[in-house]
Amino acid sequence: MEYSPENLEYAVSVFYNGEQADRAKAHAWLTDAQRVPEAWKFVWELLQPNKGTEIQFYAATTLHTKILRCWNEVPPESHDELKEKLLQAVYTYSKGPKIVTNRLCISLAAFILQQGTSDLAAILRPLSAAENTSLLLEVLTVIPEEYNSMTMGTVLRAKNRNALTQACPAVLDDLLRYLQSVYNEYSSPPPDSEVQLWLSAATCAASWLALNEDGDNGPLPDRLPLCGALLAAVRLLYTWNEAVSDVALDVCEACLGAVRAAAGQDSTRQPAAALQLIEQLVATAAPVFQRDNRPDSINEELLSALITCLVGVGETHSGAVVRGAEAAGAGEAPARALLELLLCAQAAPGHYPRHEARSNLVFGFWYTLQDEILNVMETTSRITPVWRDVFSRLLTILVAKSEAPPDSALSRDDQELLRCYRQDIADTVMYCVGILGDWCWTTVEAAWDAADTPLRKEAALHVFLALADSAPHRRAPEPIHNMLGHAVEAARSESGRMLDTALDCLGSYAGWVAALETQGGLALGAACVAAAGAALPRAGAAAALALRKLCADCAAPAAALAPDIVRAAQSEQARSETWVRRQLLSAAGSALAAADPEVATPLLHELAASLAADLRRQAEDPTRASGAAECAAALLAALPAQPVLCLSLCQTLLPNLTAFACPLLVEPMFHVLKQTVSSLMDDCRPLVDAIGQLTAAGFRARPTAAGLDVVKLLVIIFGNEYPSMPALFHSSIALSARSVAAEPGGAPDLAEALFAVLRQVTKKKPAYIDWIDDLLSELVELGSECVRMWEAGAARSACLWLGSLAAVRPRALQPHAPLLTAAALRCIGGATPRNQIEPLAELLLALNRAAFDGGDLSAWLRQALAVTDFPTRHATEPSKRKFIAAVIKEKSSKRRLLESVQEFSLVCRGLVGTEYARQSLAAKQLVS
């Protein structure tokens, strides 16, 4: 169909109003139309004021696309004509529609950047009249944004960067002069038109200030007047609006965003200027906090914007804040005022997220602050008292904010927000430990003692739980001992959230309790285990998890209560929930492993008989998800410390797995077998034949990745000690390879496991490769196919095995090496994602090192790359020759070869000269 204005208008109409199938066809055709040379003409016909908004927007979008993608179609002598048309179009649509105006402004910005920003002032001079202020501000706003998003060559990007850096001070000075009108005394609120222009000016300032975050926009002291003007606008709008909303709120957010961008420069070189900026910001924020820091505040959004700005400035200038707060000079007041405001923000009244949604914005600041304090402490070897005060107050605030409202008061979404919020509190609590040390537990105990409701006590327990990883090893400060005692009492008597948190505390402090080699520690451990067991009827999941952790660490108390734990694992409640039973069986296994053999043996026989019966029932009805096999694996995993018990259990369970060799049950069967071998290791010799037979039957039913893990363990540990091992290895590899070959992309986990097993055997037991000698040709072909998979794990596994094979069996690989080399080159050229380049480089290095007989990588590379447009049309003959030389030369350094492969991949993908290529290569050099 001809690309005429009429046809284009019809296609746009179909795209917006037609049926789904017709819309897809119209979109494809309109996209093609944007790339044809005739588009330079028809866009102006479609950009007439009498056309519909959809037509105008399509024309403006097409113009932007042409300037970005087809700039080479515009001869230099036509640049001025195009500039004039663009300026006229921008002026014509200055009153809207807004989406068309914005797209035209972006097109003008792209035009300016394609010319290297040669004379920005001259190009924009026609828009400098007072009536065009908003239009000029919009164009200026999108220029830095377009610079960051445009794809351009390195030379053009450097030219534009230099030009924009030179223009930035003048642009910001003009914006300052304009914004200084904010200082005028208004006898009434400013008019809406003025406020809208402030929004445009603040947005423009933020765009230019964010352009060069490394400080090229000038030192921070030079930006302070502009920040003052921006903050003056915030103060004025707040003064004239009881509830700051709509455009006024947009202006405040834009102004604060621009201040944050201005503060992001010279973060360490100008501490005095940073403190001046903090002083201005605090002076703006303090009245808002004083008036509106309350639950369900009418200015929640403004408070959030102020907090975000305070946090951003504080994090950027954390060094100045720390030194200012510690000093007794001029910097002390603004630094401490900032800390007070942020503590106030963290302590926002009400429950999150029911009454406020701003205290979550401060968490990141405390990490930055404590990190800076600890850095300073490395040179001074002391922590100033001011920080003990700040972080003690912070910890008290975190306990208070951790208090949860009743669950009935929260929706499901709010409950999830609260869960994430409390996790953030737990993370922030850890920042206090480096400053306060053991004082943290004293503070939490004081909060528990002061709490007058169960919810507040639960909040103290939650913060106590967060401190578990920092509990001092083999030392028992009294507050920890007391708080754990409170958790034990809560686990015995409470319910709901309090019970769950108390049980989490018992499990998390299990390692600390176990390390206390005192009589008091043994008594506390016994109390914890008993309390967790007693809580099973009231909180099955939380109690079972706590019991598993306690039994794994606290051997003596667990052994003493082994009969009770086994009985709990056999209860009806445990049988009704597979996950709970797995935890309880794991706990039972740990308890039995620690108990006296005379006590443990009959209890284990009881468990084994029960599990065997469960396995038989599951085998009779495979559709039942009883989880018997998973439960058996959990018990086995807890018994390695007692091989005799473990072997006895396995001898009972294995005969009942015979019926599991069917497609529905083979996966859990392999999990049991894997756990059996990994738990017993050499001690499972009496069971190897049985395990081998079950494994072979399982593979005949359905090859799985878990089954290949079992084969790998058997082959590596027992090897040729057993006559049946070569046959097992051969059959499992053959069946797995056949399954993968049928649909490589359909079983990526199986493919990854297959080549992982082959690699392990090739590297550790290369003689065993003889067992699958007749399969090697088929496996190499399959590996060459899987190298091209998009699933990174499978492709990497295939590359690594083929590389290992090249080292030990080059003769087996050589017949397939030309096709394998071509496949690797196709992947490097773009057939697979860019993040899979490294294993391909390792494969090429292995092929280059291999001792092939008659043929080498050099010949195979030249043969493959001799094909025109291979791997892609972007690969030129010089680039191919350079790549071949770099690969053949390198036989030792994987890093250097990876750089060459990365560079050739960028060439093949047409990315050379782009910003992505520059950053990618720079990152490689940085890492190396």
CSV table of all heavy atoms in Angstrom, one decimal, residues 68-121:
chain,number,residue,atom,x,y,z
A,68,LEU,N,16.2,10.4,14.8
A,68,LEU,CA,17.0,9.5,15.5
A,68,LEU,C,17.7,8.5,14.6
A,68,LEU,O,18.9,8.2,14.7
A,68,LEU,CB,16.2,8.8,16.6
A,68,LEU,CG,15.8,9.6,17.9
A,68,LEU,CD1,15.1,8.7,18.8
A,68,LEU,CD2,17.0,10.2,18.6
A,69,ARG,N,16.9,7.8,13.8
A,69,ARG,CA,17.3,6.6,13.1
A,69,ARG,C,17.8,6.9,11.6
A,69,ARG,O,18.5,6.1,11.1
A,69,ARG,CB,16.2,5.6,13.0
A,69,ARG,CG,15.5,5.3,14.4
A,69,ARG,CD,16.5,4.7,15.3
A,69,ARG,NE,15.8,4.4,16.6
A,69,ARG,CZ,16.4,4.2,17.7
A,69,ARG,NH1,17.8,4.2,17.8
A,69,ARG,NH2,15.8,3.9,18.8
A,70,CYS,N,17.3,7.9,11.0
A,70,CYS,CA,17.6,8.2,9.6
A,70,CYS,C,18.3,9.5,9.3
A,70,CYS,O,18.0,10.2,8.3
A,70,CYS,CB,16.3,8.0,8.8
A,70,CYS,SG,15.4,6.5,9.1
A,71,TRP,N,19.1,10.0,10.3
A,71,TRP,CA,19.7,11.3,10.2
A,71,TRP,C,20.6,11.4,8.9
A,71,TRP,O,20.7,12.5,8.3
A,71,TRP,CB,20.5,11.6,11.4
A,71,TRP,CG,21.2,12.9,11.4
A,71,TRP,CD1,22.5,13.2,11.3
A,71,TRP,CD2,20.5,14.2,11.5
A,71,TRP,NE1,22.8,14.5,11.3
A,71,TRP,CE2,21.6,15.2,11.4
A,71,TRP,CE3,19.2,14.6,11.6
A,71,TRP,CZ2,21.3,16.5,11.5
A,71,TRP,CZ3,18.9,16.0,11.6
A,71,TRP,CH2,20.0,16.9,11.6
A,72,ASN,N,21.1,10.3,8.5
A,72,ASN,CA,22.0,10.3,7.3
A,72,ASN,C,21.3,10.6,6.0
A,72,ASN,O,21.9,10.9,5.0
A,72,ASN,CB,22.8,9.0,7.2
A,72,ASN,CG,21.8,7.8,7.0
A,72,ASN,OD1,20.8,7.7,7.7
A,72,ASN,ND2,22.0,7.0,6.0
A,73,GLU,N,19.9,10.6,6.1
A,73,GLU,CA,19.2,10.9,4.9
A,73,GLU,C,19.0,12.4,4.7
A,73,GLU,O,18.5,12.8,3.6
A,73,GLU,CB,17.8,10.2,5.0
A,73,GLU,CG,17.8,8.7,5.0
A,73,GLU,CD,16.4,8.1,5.2
A,73,GLU,OE1,15.4,8.9,5.3
A,73,GLU,OE2,16.3,6.9,5.1
A,74,VAL,N,19.4,13.2,5.7
A,74,VAL,CA,19.3,14.6,5.6
A,74,VAL,C,20.6,15.2,5.1
A,74,VAL,O,21.6,15.2,5.9
A,74,VAL,CB,18.8,15.2,6.9
A,74,VAL,CG1,18.6,16.7,6.8
A,74,VAL,CG2,17.6,14.5,7.5
A,75,PRO,N,20.7,15.8,4.0
A,75,PRO,CA,21.9,16.4,3.5
A,75,PRO,C,22.3,17.6,4.4
A,75,PRO,O,21.3,18.3,4.8
A,75,PRO,CB,21.7,16.8,2.1
A,75,PRO,CG,20.2,16.8,1.9
A,75,PRO,CD,19.6,15.9,2.9
A,76,PRO,N,23.5,18.0,4.6
A,76,PRO,CA,23.9,19.1,5.4
A,76,PRO,C,23.2,20.4,5.0
A,76,PRO,O,22.8,21.2,5.8
A,76,PRO,CB,25.4,19.2,5.3
A,76,PRO,CG,25.8,17.8,5.0
A,76,PRO,CD,24.7,17.2,4.1
A,77,GLU,N,23.0,20.6,3.7
A,77,GLU,CA,22.5,21.9,3.2
A,77,GLU,C,21.0,22.0,3.6
A,77,GLU,O,20.4,23.1,3.5
A,77,GLU,CB,22.6,22.0,1.7
A,77,GLU,CG,22.0,20.9,0.9
A,77,GLU,CD,22.9,19.7,0.6
A,77,GLU,OE1,24.0,19.6,1.3
A,77,GLU,OE2,22.7,18.9,-0.3
A,78,SER,N,20.4,20.9,4.0
A,78,SER,CA,18.9,20.9,4.4
A,78,SER,C,18.7,21.0,5.9
A,78,SER,O,17.6,21.1,6.3
A,78,SER,CB,18.2,19.6,3.9
A,78,SER,OG,18.3,19.5,2.5
A,79,HIS,N,19.8,21.1,6.6
A,79,HIS,CA,19.7,21.2,8.1
A,79,HIS,C,19.0,22.5,8.5
A,79,HIS,O,18.1,22.4,9.4
A,79,HIS,CB,21.1,21.1,8.7
A,79,HIS,CG,21.7,19.8,8.7
A,79,HIS,ND1,22.9,19.5,9.2
A,79,HIS,CD2,21.2,18.6,8.2
A,79,HIS,CE1,23.2,18.2,9.0
A,79,HIS,NE2,22.2,17.7,8.4
A,80,ASP,N,19.3,23.6,7.9
A,80,ASP,CA,18.6,24.9,8.3
A,80,ASP,C,17.2,24.8,8.0
A,80,ASP,O,16.3,25.3,8.8
A,80,ASP,CB,19.3,26.0,7.6
A,80,ASP,CG,20.7,26.4,8.2
A,80,ASP,OD1,20.9,25.9,9.3
A,80,ASP,OD2,21.5,27.0,7.5
A,81,GLU,N,16.8,24.3,6.9
A,81,GLU,CA,15.4,24.2,6.5
A,81,GLU,C,14.6,23.3,7.5
A,81,GLU,O,13.5,23.6,7.9
A,81,GLU,CB,15.3,23.6,5.1
A,81,GLU,CG,13.8,23.4,4.6
A,81,GLU,CD,13.7,22.7,3.3
A,81,GLU,OE1,14.7,22.4,2.7
A,81,GLU,OE2,12.5,22.4,2.9
A,82,LEU,N,15.2,22.2,7.9
A,82,LEU,CA,14.6,21.3,8.8
A,82,LEU,C,14.5,22.0,10.2
A,82,LEU,O,13.4,21.9,10.9
A,82,LEU,CB,15.4,20.0,9.0
A,82,LEU,CG,14.9,19.0,10.0
A,82,LEU,CD1,13.5,18.6,9.7
A,82,LEU,CD2,15.8,17.8,10.0
A,83,LYS,N,15.5,22.8,10.6
A,83,LYS,CA,15.4,23.5,11.8
A,83,LYS,C,14.3,24.5,11.8
A,83,LYS,O,13.5,24.6,12.8
A,83,LYS,CB,16.7,24.2,12.1
A,83,LYS,CG,16.8,25.0,13.4
A,83,LYS,CD,18.0,25.9,13.5
A,83,LYS,CE,17.9,27.0,12.4
A,83,LYS,NZ,19.1,28.0,12.6
A,84,GLU,N,14.1,25.2,10.8
A,84,GLU,CA,13.0,26.2,10.7
A,84,GLU,C,11.7,25.5,10.8
A,84,GLU,O,10.8,26.0,11.4
A,84,GLU,CB,13.2,27.0,9.4
A,84,GLU,CG,14.4,27.9,9.3
A,84,GLU,CD,14.5,28.9,10.5
A,84,GLU,OE1,13.4,29.4,10.9
A,84,GLU,OE2,15.6,29.1,11.0
A,85,LYS,N,11.5,24.4,10.0
A,85,LYS,CA,10.3,23.7,10.1
A,85,LYS,C,10.0,23.2,11.5
A,85,LYS,O,8.8,23.2,12.0
A,85,LYS,CB,10.3,22.5,9.1
A,85,LYS,CG,10.2,22.9,7.6
A,85,LYS,CD,10.1,21.7,6.8
A,85,LYS,CE,9.9,22.0,5.3
A,85,LYS,NZ,9.8,20.8,4.4
A,86,LEU,N,11.0,22.7,12.2
A,86,LEU,CA,10.8,22.2,13.5
A,86,LEU,C,10.4,23.3,14.5
A,86,LEU,O,9.4,23.2,15.3
A,86,LEU,CB,12.1,21.6,14.0
A,86,LEU,CG,12.3,20.1,13.7
A,86,LEU,CD1,13.8,19.7,14.0
A,86,LEU,CD2,11.4,19.2,14.5
A,87,LEU,N,11.1,24.5,14.4
A,87,LEU,CA,10.7,25.6,15.2
A,87,LEU,C,9.3,26.1,15.0
A,87,LEU,O,8.5,26.4,15.9
A,87,LEU,CB,11.7,26.7,15.0
A,87,LEU,CG,13.1,26.5,15.6
A,87,LEU,CD1,14.1,27.5,15.1
A,87,LEU,CD2,13.0,26.6,17.2
A,88,GLN,N,8.9,26.1,13.7
A,88,GLN,CA,7.6,26.6,13.4
A,88,GLN,C,6.5,25.6,13.9
A,88,GLN,O,5.5,26.0,14.4
A,88,GLN,CB,7.5,26.7,11.8
A,88,GLN,CG,6.1,27.2,11.4
A,88,GLN,CD,5.8,28.6,11.9
A,88,GLN,OE1,6.6,29.5,12.0
A,88,GLN,NE2,4.6,28.8,12.4
A,89,ALA,N,6.8,24.3,13.8
A,89,ALA,CA,5.9,23.3,14.3
A,89,ALA,C,5.7,23.4,15.8
A,89,ALA,O,4.6,23.3,16.3
A,89,ALA,CB,6.3,21.9,13.9
A,90,VAL,N,6.9,23.6,16.5
A,90,VAL,CA,6.8,23.7,17.9
A,90,VAL,C,6.0,24.9,18.3
A,90,VAL,O,5.2,24.9,19.2
A,90,VAL,CB,8.3,23.8,18.5
A,90,VAL,CG1,8.2,24.3,20.0
A,90,VAL,CG2,9.0,22.5,18.4
A,91,TYR,N,6.2,26.0,17.6
A,91,TYR,CA,5.5,27.3,17.9
A,91,TYR,C,4.0,27.1,17.6
A,91,TYR,O,3.1,27.5,18.3
A,91,TYR,CB,6.0,28.4,17.1
A,91,TYR,CG,5.4,29.8,17.4
A,91,TYR,CD1,5.7,30.4,18.6
A,91,TYR,CD2,4.4,30.3,16.6
A,91,TYR,CE1,5.1,31.7,18.9
A,91,TYR,CE2,3.8,31.5,16.9
A,91,TYR,CZ,4.2,32.2,18.0
A,91,TYR,OH,3.6,33.4,18.3
A,92,THR,N,3.7,26.4,16.5
A,92,THR,CA,2.3,26.2,16.1
A,92,THR,C,1.5,25.4,17.1
A,92,THR,O,0.3,25.7,17.4
A,92,THR,CB,2.2,25.5,14.7
A,92,THR,OG1,2.9,26.3,13.7
A,92,THR,CG2,0.8,25.2,14.3
A,93,TYR,N,2.2,24.4,17.7
A,93,TYR,CA,1.5,23.6,18.7
A,93,TYR,C,1.8,24.0,20.1
A,93,TYR,O,1.6,23.2,21.0
A,93,TYR,CB,1.9,22.1,18.4
A,93,TYR,CG,1.2,21.5,17.2
A,93,TYR,CD1,1.8,21.5,16.0
A,93,TYR,CD2,0.0,20.9,17.3
A,93,TYR,CE1,1.2,21.0,14.9
A,93,TYR,CE2,-0.6,20.3,16.2
A,93,TYR,CZ,0.0,20.4,15.0
A,93,TYR,OH,-0.6,19.8,13.9
A,94,SER,N,2.2,25.2,20.3
A,94,SER,CA,2.6,25.7,21.7
A,94,SER,C,1.4,25.6,22.6
A,94,SER,O,1.5,25.5,23.8
A,94,SER,CB,3.1,27.1,21.6
A,94,SER,OG,2.2,28.0,21.1
A,95,LYS,N,0.1,25.7,22.1
A,95,LYS,CA,-1.1,25.7,22.9
A,95,LYS,C,-1.7,24.3,23.0
A,95,LYS,O,-2.7,24.1,23.6
A,95,LYS,CB,-2.1,26.6,22.4
A,95,LYS,CG,-1.7,28.1,22.2
A,95,LYS,CD,-1.2,28.6,23.6
A,95,LYS,CE,-0.8,30.1,23.4
A,95,LYS,NZ,-0.3,30.7,24.7
A,96,GLY,N,-1.0,23.3,22.4
A,96,GLY,CA,-1.5,21.9,22.5
A,96,GLY,C,-1.9,21.4,21.1
A,96,GLY,O,-1.8,22.1,20.1
A,97,PRO,N,-2.3,20.1,21.1
A,97,PRO,CA,-2.4,19.2,22.2
A,97,PRO,C,-1.1,18.9,22.9
A,97,PRO,O,-0.1,18.8,22.2
A,97,PRO,CB,-3.0,17.9,21.5
A,97,PRO,CG,-3.6,18.3,20.2
A,97,PRO,CD,-2.8,19.5,19.8
A,98,LYS,N,-1.1,18.7,24.2
A,98,LYS,CA,0.1,18.6,24.9
A,98,LYS,C,1.0,17.4,24.5
A,98,LYS,O,2.2,17.6,24.4
A,98,LYS,CB,-0.3,18.4,26.4
A,98,LYS,CG,0.9,18.3,27.4
A,98,LYS,CD,1.6,19.6,27.4
A,98,LYS,CE,2.8,19.6,28.4
A,98,LYS,NZ,3.5,20.9,28.4
A,99,ILE,N,0.4,16.3,24.1
A,99,ILE,CA,1.2,15.1,23.7
A,99,ILE,C,2.0,15.4,22.4
A,99,ILE,O,3.1,15.0,22.2
A,99,ILE,CB,0.4,13.8,23.6
A,99,ILE,CG1,-0.7,14.0,22.6
A,99,ILE,CG2,-0.1,13.4,24.9
A,99,ILE,CD1,-1.4,12.6,22.3
A,100,VAL,N,1.3,16.2,21.5
A,100,VAL,CA,2.0,16.6,20.3
A,100,VAL,C,3.1,17.6,20.5
A,100,VAL,O,4.2,17.5,20.0
A,100,VAL,CB,0.9,17.1,19.3
A,100,VAL,CG1,1.6,17.5,18.0
A,100,VAL,CG2,-0.2,16.1,19.0
A,101,THR,N,2.8,18.6,21.4
A,101,THR,CA,3.8,19.6,21.7
A,101,THR,C,5.0,18.9,22.3
A,101,THR,O,6.2,19.2,21.9
A,101,THR,CB,3.2,20.6,22.7
A,101,THR,OG1,2.0,21.1,22.3
A,101,THR,CG2,4.2,21.8,23.0
A,102,ASN,N,4.8,18.0,23.2
A,102,ASN,CA,6.0,17.4,23.9
A,102,ASN,C,6.8,16.6,22.9
A,102,ASN,O,8.0,16.6,22.9
A,102,ASN,CB,5.4,16.4,25.0
A,102,ASN,CG,6.5,15.7,25.7
A,102,ASN,OD1,6.7,14.5,25.4
A,102,ASN,ND2,7.2,16.3,26.6
A,103,ARG,N,6.1,15.8,22.0
A,103,ARG,CA,6.9,15.0,21.0
A,103,ARG,C,7.7,15.9,20.1
A,103,ARG,O,8.8,15.6,19.7
A,103,ARG,CB,5.9,14.1,20.3
A,103,ARG,CG,6.5,13.1,19.4
A,103,ARG,CD,7.5,12.2,20.0
A,103,ARG,NE,7.0,11.5,21.2
A,103,ARG,CZ,7.7,10.7,21.9
A,103,ARG,NH1,8.9,10.4,21.6
A,103,ARG,NH2,7.1,10.1,22.9
A,104,LEU,N,7.1,17.1,19.7
A,104,LEU,CA,7.8,18.0,18.8
A,104,LEU,C,9.0,18.6,19.5
A,104,LEU,O,10.1,18.8,18.9
A,104,LEU,CB,6.9,19.1,18.3
A,104,LEU,CG,5.8,18.6,17.3
A,104,LEU,CD1,4.8,19.7,17.0
A,104,LEU,CD2,6.5,18.2,16.0
A,105,CYS,N,8.8,18.9,20.8
A,105,CYS,CA,10.0,19.5,21.6
A,105,CYS,C,11.1,18.4,21.7
A,105,CYS,O,12.3,18.8,21.5
A,105,CYS,CB,9.5,19.9,23.0
A,105,CYS,SG,8.5,21.3,23.0
A,106,ILE,N,10.7,17.2,21.9
A,106,ILE,CA,11.7,16.1,21.9
A,106,ILE,C,12.4,16.0,20.5
A,106,ILE,O,13.6,15.7,20.4
A,106,ILE,CB,11.1,14.8,22.3
A,106,ILE,CG1,10.6,14.9,23.8
A,106,ILE,CG2,12.0,13.6,22.2
A,106,ILE,CD1,9.8,13.7,24.2
A,107,SER,N,11.6,16.1,19.4
A,107,SER,CA,12.2,16.1,18.1
A,107,SER,C,13.2,17.2,17.9
A,107,SER,O,14.3,17.0,17.3
A,107,SER,CB,11.1,16.1,17.1
A,107,SER,OG,10.2,15.1,17.2
A,108,LEU,N,12.9,18.4,18.4
A,108,LEU,CA,13.8,19.5,18.3
A,108,LEU,C,15.1,19.2,19.1
A,108,LEU,O,16.2,19.5,18.6
A,108,LEU,CB,13.1,20.8,18.7
A,108,LEU,CG,14.0,22.1,18.7
A,108,LEU,CD1,14.5,22.4,17.3
A,108,LEU,CD2,13.1,23.3,19.2
A,109,ALA,N,14.9,18.7,20.3
A,109,ALA,CA,16.1,18.3,21.1
A,109,ALA,C,17.0,17.3,20.4
A,109,ALA,O,18.2,17.4,20.4
A,109,ALA,CB,15.6,17.8,22.4
A,110,ALA,N,16.3,16.3,19.7
A,110,ALA,CA,17.1,15.3,19.0
A,110,ALA,C,17.8,16.0,17.8
A,110,ALA,O,19.0,15.6,17.5
A,110,ALA,CB,16.2,14.2,18.5
A,111,PHE,N,17.2,16.9,17.1
A,111,PHE,CA,17.9,17.6,16.0
A,111,PHE,C,19.1,18.4,16.6
A,111,PHE,O,20.2,18.3,16.0
A,111,PHE,CB,16.9,18.6,15.4
A,111,PHE,CG,17.5,19.6,14.4
A,111,PHE,CD1,17.7,19.2,13.1
A,111,PHE,CD2,17.9,20.8,14.8
A,111,PHE,CE1,18.2,20.1,12.2
A,111,PHE,CE2,18.5,21.7,13.9
A,111,PHE,CZ,18.7,21.3,12.6
A,112,ILE,N,18.9,19.0,17.7
A,112,ILE,CA,20.1,19.8,18.3
A,112,ILE,C,21.2,18.9,18.6
A,112,ILE,O,22.4,19.2,18.3
A,112,ILE,CB,19.6,20.6,19.5
A,112,ILE,CG1,18.6,21.7,19.1
A,112,ILE,CG2,20.7,21.1,20.3
A,112,ILE,CD1,17.9,22.3,20.3
A,113,LEU,N,20.9,17.7,19.2
A,113,LEU,CA,22.0,16.8,19.6
A,113,LEU,C,22.6,16.1,18.3
A,113,LEU,O,23.8,15.8,18.4
A,113,LEU,CB,21.4,15.7,20.5
A,113,LEU,CG,21.0,16.2,21.9
A,113,LEU,CD1,20.2,15.2,22.6
A,113,LEU,CD2,22.2,16.7,22.7
A,114,GLN,N,21.9,15.9,17.3
A,114,GLN,CA,22.4,15.3,16.1
A,114,GLN,C,23.5,16.3,15.5
A,114,GLN,O,24.4,15.8,14.8
A,114,GLN,CB,21.4,15.0,15.0
A,114,GLN,CG,20.5,13.8,15.4
A,114,GLN,CD,21.2,12.4,15.3
A,114,GLN,OE1,22.4,12.4,15.3
A,114,GLN,NE2,20.5,11.4,15.1
A,115,GLN,N,23.3,17.5,15.7
A,115,GLN,CA,24.3,18.5,15.2
A,115,GLN,C,25.4,18.8,16.2
A,115,GLN,O,26.2,19.7,15.9
A,115,GLN,CB,23.5,19.8,14.9
A,115,GLN,CG,22.6,19.7,13.7
A,115,GLN,CD,22.3,21.1,13.1
A,115,GLN,OE1,22.0,22.0,13.8
A,115,GLN,NE2,22.5,21.2,11.8
A,116,GLY,N,25.4,18.0,17.3
A,116,GLY,CA,26.5,18.2,18.2
A,116,GLY,C,26.3,19.4,19.1
A,116,GLY,O,27.3,20.0,19.6
A,117,THR,N,25.1,19.9,19.3
A,117,THR,CA,24.8,21.1,20.1
A,117,THR,C,25.7,22.2,19.7
A,117,THR,O,26.3,22.9,20.6
A,117,THR,CB,24.9,20.7,21.6
A,117,THR,OG1,24.6,19.3,21.8
A,117,THR,CG2,24.0,21.5,22.5
A,118,SER,N,25.8,22.4,18.4
A,118,SER,CA,26.8,23.4,17.9
A,118,SER,C,26.6,24.8,18.4
A,118,SER,O,27.5,25.5,18.8
A,118,SER,CB,26.9,23.4,16.4
A,118,SER,OG,25.6,23.6,15.9
A,119,ASP,N,25.3,25.3,18.4
A,119,ASP,CA,25.0,26.6,18.8
A,119,ASP,C,23.6,26.6,19.5
A,119,ASP,O,22.6,27.0,18.8
A,119,ASP,CB,25.1,27.6,17.7
A,119,ASP,CG,25.1,29.0,18.2
A,119,ASP,OD1,24.8,29.3,19.4
A,119,ASP,OD2,25.4,29.9,17.4
A,120,LEU,N,23.5,26.2,20.7
A,120,LEU,CA,22.3,26.0,21.4
A,120,LEU,C,21.5,27.3,21.5
A,120,LEU,O,20.3,27.4,21.2
A,120,LEU,CB,22.5,25.4,22.8
A,120,LEU,CG,21.2,25.1,23.6
A,120,LEU,CD1,20.4,24.1,22.9
A,120,LEU,CD2,21.6,24.6,25.0
A,121,ALA,N,22.2,28.4,21.9
A,121,ALA,CA,21.5,29.7,22.1
A,121,ALA,C,20.9,30.2,20.8
A,121,ALA,O,19.8,30.7,20.7
A,121,ALA,CB,22.5,30.7,22.6
